[in-house]
Amino acid sequence: MTIQNKAMLITYADSLGKNIKEVHQILKENFGGAIGGVHLLPFFPSTGDRGFAPSDYTRVDATFGDWADVEALGEDYYLMFDFMINHISRESVMYRDFKQNHDASPYRDFFIRWEKFWDKAGPNRPTQADVDLIYKRKDKAPIQPITFADGTTEHLWNTFGDEQIDIDVNSTVAKAFIKQTLEDMIAHGADLIRLDAFAYAIKKIDTNDFFIEPEIWDLLHEVRDILAPLNAEILPEIHEHYTIPEKINAHGYFTYDFALPMTTLYTLYSGKTKRLADWLKQSPMRQFTTLDTHDGIGVVDARDILTADEIAYASEELYKVGANVKKTYSSAAYNNLDIYQINSTYYSALGNDDAAYLLSRVFQVFAPGIPQIYYVGLLAGENDIALLESSKEGRNINRHYYTAQEVHEAVARPVVADLLQLLTWRNQFAAFDLDGTITVTTPSDNELKVVRTDRSGEHVATLVANAQDKTFTITADGETVLKNR
């Protein structure tokens, strides 16, 4: 199935029911036409980071089901899989063989060998200045020792968690692995590949090792050359200044709108619509929009869309307005790797307020692009403090495990029913054509008017909203579709 201009659900394989088969059943029984695609978060055998430390891409984790279950899901929904292009688990065949056989291993060039990497720069490298220059996710050099069966020890590049060892994407053996893995994913039903942490994949001496040009483009084009003949798309994942996704989009790739979540929160907290209006005017159509994901709410993504003072205001208001949102939940005390994200469900970030939450989704629906909606957000889920405290993992506040009964009860709530109605209409109405147009105006400081028109000009969707009192009216070709007044 090719990508459709329909809302995509983001879910783990065991978060809506216990496995992929139950996810499929729950989707069909509860969500109707509201969902057209599914981003099935990593479902491969993994040794950490809730699936993002994959050890074997050739198998589905038996806890979640098998390839037949994945392929059956793909018969009804277009699918996105994650490919962790930057790293792989220490339990992978590559790592274990390298550890056992050292330089006799066919995978001796698969990983980035820290000492060999810096030998190319000359003697006495790296210096402290070299290490300080690296764009890091930890407060030390991004390395991990490996002790081989022959008793010798080296260090491997290790950007993220202990189980996630960086791959040398420029090596011949890694290129073969990338090609084979991507082709297998498409054969099993993937229509879209999310390149996780791809901006970290290129390492180059005398740089910060993050989104290194022009080499990053060579990598993306190599992946595109593998996927294009298979009619599959790429979605590079990056949390950074909006100008980087802007560059990627200009090269013809789908991108994420990670700036929308914080910009929308600022709009609803302050009641002022100018910043959101300005962002919607410059956003591309060839993107996937988000308000929530499996990670926290990104802060740095909104830099220069919001001023530094406005970001600080929105962040502080989140802790004031949000329901059961505390700063400590986004700190090292709860095992957080990224201090620039705030851990909360989007519904709780808006104080569990139905009117504010529904309006946030209305803004998302009218934004350029295809909406992605995290499973907790689709059900207007509150912060799961019990799961957070039992695991001491900050991001688990937004990772509730829903039973089929809980889903059934959630979809009966008016706010969820309205959201499903909104998404179903959006998926079917021609005005949201990605080749169409968008016009955005602010009749007053608190008001926003968005007009979406299809390429032919025959169909028009109009939103008139007030961010101060959280009221809105949506019309389709002049007929009222949904309102909150």
Side-chain angles (χ1 to χ4, degrees):
M1 184 182 297
T2 57
I3 293 175
Q4 301 174 46
N5 183 14
K6 294 181 179 180
M8 172 179 272
L9 173 72
I10 307 168
T11 185
Y12 290 99
D14 60 347
S15 290
L16 293 174
K18 296 178 181 178
N19 52 49
I20 297 167
K21 190 171 292 184
E22 290 189 17
V23 168
H24 195 174
Q25 183 177 354
I26 285 170
L27 280 171
K28 291 200 294 185
E29 291 179 355
N30 294 278
F31 301 129
I35 296 300
V38 177
H39 174 193
L40 195 59
L41 290 162
F43 51 86
F44 311 101
S46 172
T47 56
D49 197 15
R50 193 73 188 270
F52 283 88
S55 58
D56 184 357
Y57 283 103
T58 67
R59 297 184 292 119
V60 175
D61 187 319
T63 305
F64 305 143
D66 55 28
W67 282 119
D69 297 324
V70 175
E71 291 164 11
L73 186 65
E75 291 294 318
D76 292 327
Y77 305 93
Y78 71 95
L79 297 181
M80 181 160 75
F81 297 172
D82 289 278
F83 179 55
M84 278 52 80
I85 196 165
N86 178 73
H87 53 262
I88 199 164
S89 169
R90 292 188 299 187
E91 287 301 312
S92 63
V93 168
M94 301 80 168
Y95 187 92
R96 287 186 284 113
D97 191 281
F98 181 46
K99 185 175 182 179
Q100 178 63 36
N101 298 305
H102 202 176
D103 283 326
S105 170
Y107 301 108
R108 61 187 174 275
D109 298 323
F110 190 84
F111 301 99
I112 302 174
R113 300 166 71 168
W114 181 261
E115 286 83 7
K116 287 183 177 292
F117 177 88
W118 288 106
D119 282 348
K120 299 172 187 175
N124 303 315
R125 302 285 292 273
T127 64
Q128 188 59 49
D130 289 326
V131 174
D132 290 343
L133 181 60
I134 298 170
Y135 189 107
K136 296 183 288 294
R137 298 293 293 268
K138 51 185 80 172
D139 59 1
K140 60 181 180 179
I143 56 176
Q144 182 180 135
I146 178 172
T147 300
F148 300 97
D150 61 16
T152 60
T153 298
E154 292 183 22
H155 291 86
L156 301 181
W157 204 298
N158 172 218
T159 298
F160 298 100
D162 288 346
E163 289 294 326
Q164 296 159 303
I165 308 301
D166 291 32
I167 297 169
D168 184 352
V169 296
N170 291 316
S171 67
T172 300
V173 65
K175 287 180 184 293
F177 160 75
I178 291 169
K179 186 174 188 296
Q180 183 63 56
T181 302
L182 292 173
E183 289 176 344
D184 287 349
M185 285 182 168
I186 305 308
H188 287 300
D191 306 293
L192 184 65
I193 301 296
R194 177 183 183 270
L195 294 182
D196 179 74
F198 90 102
Y200 295 88
I202 300 295
K203 280 76 171 179
K204 187 176 180 181
I205 291 166
D206 296 326
T207 74
N208 69 352
D209 302 299
F210 184 86
F211 200 80
I212 301 305
E213 301 178 271
E215 289 84 355
I216 196 70
W217 301 114
D218 296 336
L219 177 60
L220 276 175
H221 296 340
E222 287 174 12
V223 174
R224 182 182 61 191
D225 289 346
I226 295 168
L227 295 180
L230 304 175
N231 298 313
E233 294 278 359
I234 306 168
L235 180 57
E237 180 263 346
I238 182 169
H239 280 282
E240 244 304 325
H241 196 272
Y242 74 90
T243 52
I244 294 182
E246 189 174 68
K247 282 184 182 182
I248 297 168
N249 198 272
H251 277 72
Y253 298 96
F254 273 100
T255 50
Y256 275 110
D257 183 356
F258 285 138
L260 188 63
M262 186 58 75
T263 304
T264 298
L265 288 180
Y266 170 78
T267 300
L268 293 170
Y269 293 153
S270 69
K272 299 175 182 178
T273 56
K274 185 180 186 306
R275 298 301 187 203
L276 179 59
D278 289 345
W279 177 237
L280 296 181
K281 289 175 187 177
Q282 71 182 89
S283 294
M285 284 289 184
R286 192 174 171 80
Q287 68 172 357
F288 284 87
T289 65
T290 65
L291 292 182
D292 48 1
T293 69
H294 62 285
D295 285 330
I297 298 169
V299 176
V300 298
D301 308 270
R303 235 177 340 117
D304 296 328
I305 297 164
L306 303 177
T307 67
D309 286 346
E310 288 165 343
I311 289 175
Y313 164 80
S315 299
E316 289 303 314
E317 284 297 298
L318 203 161
Y319 292 115
K320 292 178 185 177
V321 174
N324 292 316
V325 183
K326 297 180 181 179
K327 290 184 179 181
T328 188
Y329 296 157
S330 301
S331 72
Y334 284 81
N335 298 306
N336 285 285
L337 196 61
D338 191 339
I339 61 172
Y340 299 109
Q341 293 186 353
I342 298 174
N343 291 320
S344 174
T345 74
Y346 211 77
Y347 182 67
S348 286
L350 289 166
N352 297 342
D353 181 283
D354 287 359
Y357 183 69
L358 185 59
L359 183 53
S360 75
R361 293 299 180 182
V362 168
F363 288 151
Q364 182 184 12
V365 159
F366 271 82
I370 301 173
Q372 278 191 343
I373 300 180
Y374 186 57
Y375 74 100
V376 178
L378 187 65
L379 298 172
E382 298 182 17
N383 283 335
D384 190 335
I385 302 301
L387 181 60
L388 169 83
E389 293 294 356
S390 65
S391 63
K392 295 300 179 183
E393 167 64 49
R395 290 176 296 177
N396 280 347
I397 199 171
N398 188 29
R399 296 178 177 180
H400 182 71
Y401 293 88
Y402 283 87
T403 65
Q405 181 60 32
E406 285 178 311
V407 173
H408 182 69
E409 292 170 358
V411 298
R413 293 167 55 202
V415 64
V416 178
D418 285 345
L419 176 54
L420 296 178
Q421 178 190 343
L422 173 69
L423 293 172
T424 301
W425 166 73
R426 183 255 175 241
N427 290 344
Q428 298 170 348
F429 194 51
F432 295 95
D433 183 355
L434 297 186
D435 292 320
T437 60
I438 180 170
T439 303
V440 184
T441 55
T442 50
S444 72
D445 287 348
N446 305 125
E447 293 177 292
L448 182 73
K449 182 178 181 180
V450 184
V451 179
R452 294 287 302 267
T453 307
D454 70 332
R455 178 172 43 182
S456 71
E458 295 179 15
H459 299 285
V460 180
T462 302
L463 165 67
V464 177
N466 188 306
Q468 185 70 44
D469 63 19
K470 313 301 184 286
T471 58
F472 68 86
T473 298
I474 297 173
T475 59
D477 294 336
E479 299 291 327
T480 299
V481 173
L482 186 65
K483 65 190 298 185
N484 179 23
R485 289 193 179 276

